[in-house]
Each structure stands twice: as structure tokens, then as C-alpha cells.
């Protein structure tokens, strides 16, 4: 498995930006698909964005499309989530996840390694 550590969360006003990072170690990072999920209080964990092992394709939830960008740097074993035009409804704990050749990039069960999460709070 891949060990994952998220960072970059915090408190930001609506309309602001944050950049999350996820540092990976362990199994070969460069062969793993990577994703971000989030979980708000009282809600299920939901898909946010994913990226293929080579970075050539990315996938987004409709709620973040056009505002968030996922990217990766395989030389640094790191995946990023650039979040712009943040809204209060983006408030959640954001989790990084890794998986090998998922059949469905949006499914939680496609990923077998998870980080501990980083809190993002957007104030109105």
C-alpha cells in the first residue's frame, strides 16, 4: 500500500483559494491513480477529483468542476488539489486516496490507501 499524508487545509473566506497537497511513500506512487474525497459533518464521504497514474486524464465531481484542479508530480510523489472560488458548502475534511487501475475513478472502493484527512473550512 501507499502511505499518504495530506496538508494545506485551513480556514478561508468564501471566494478564496487553497491548495491541498498529498505526499506519498511506500508502493510505487507513479503507478497509482490518485483521488481526493471529502466528508462534511453528518454526510457520507464523497468523490471530489481523480487523476490517472500518468496525469493524462482527470475526473471531477459536478459540484467542483471549473473551480478545482487536480494535478500530480511523480518526481515528488505528490498530488495536489487547487481549490478556487471556494464556497461554504466546500467545508469538509478532505482525504487523499490511492488505487491501482480503478475501473471507476469516482468510487470509494476503487482506492485501497487513504490519508488521515485535512480540514477545510470556508466561512461566509
Amino acid at each position: 500500500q501507499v502511505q499518504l499524508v495530506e496538508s494545506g487545509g485551513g480556514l478561508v473566506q468564501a471566494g478564496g483559494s487553497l491548495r491541498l497537497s498529498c505526499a506519498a511513500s511506500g508502493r510505487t506512487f507513479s503507478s497509482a491513480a490518485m483521488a481526493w474525497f471529502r466528508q462534511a459533518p453528518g454526510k457520507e464521504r464523497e468523490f471530489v477529483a481523480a487523476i490517472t497514474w500518468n496525469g493524462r486524464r482527470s475526473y471531477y465531481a459536478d459540484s467542483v468542476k471549473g473551480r478545482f484542479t487536480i494535478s500530480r508530480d511523480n518526481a515528488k510523489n505528490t498530488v495536489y488539489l487547487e481549490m478556487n472560488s471556494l464556497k461554504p458548502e466546500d467545508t469538509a475534511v478532505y482525504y487523499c486516496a490511492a488505487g491501482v487501475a480503478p475501473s471507476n475513478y469516482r468510487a470509494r472502493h476503487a482506492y485501497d490507501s487513504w490519508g488521515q484527512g485535512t480540514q477545510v473550512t470556508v466561512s461566509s
Side-chain angles (χ1 to χ4, degrees):
Q1 289 189 338
V2 180
Q3 287 74 50
L4 305 170
V5 178
E6 303 96 335
S7 62
L11 173 63
V12 63
Q13 289 188 333
S17 300
L18 280 176
R19 187 195 196 200
L20 304 184
S21 299
C22 174
S25 61
R27 187 183 71 193
T28 304
F29 169 81
S30 59
S31 64
M34 300 297 297
W36 288 94
F37 286 75
R38 67 186 182 186
Q39 188 167 17
K43 295 187 177 181
E44 292 191 355
R45 193 171 298 188
E46 65 175 4
F47 170 77
V48 175
I51 190 166
T52 54
W53 67 272
N54 55 11
R56 291 180 180 176
R57 297 194 69 174
S58 55
Y59 307 85
Y60 296 93
D62 288 343
S63 59
V64 307
K65 198 172 296 182
R67 299 188 297 122
F68 291 11
T69 302
I70 188 171
S71 62
R72 67 188 297 161
D73 185 338
N74 286 350
K76 295 183 178 180
N77 281 9
T78 303
V79 63
Y80 304 97
L81 185 68
E82 186 75 36
M83 305 186 295
N84 298 315
S85 301
L86 282 162
K87 305 175 181 179
E89 51 263 44
D90 294 318
T91 295
V93 177
Y94 283 70
Y95 297 91
C96 177
V100 177
S103 57
N104 181 354
Y105 281 82
R106 302 171 186 272
R108 287 177 56 183
H109 63 75
Y111 302 92
D112 59 1
S113 297
W114 293 83
Q116 293 301 305
T118 185
Q119 176 71 47
V120 172
T121 303
V122 184
S123 62
S124 57

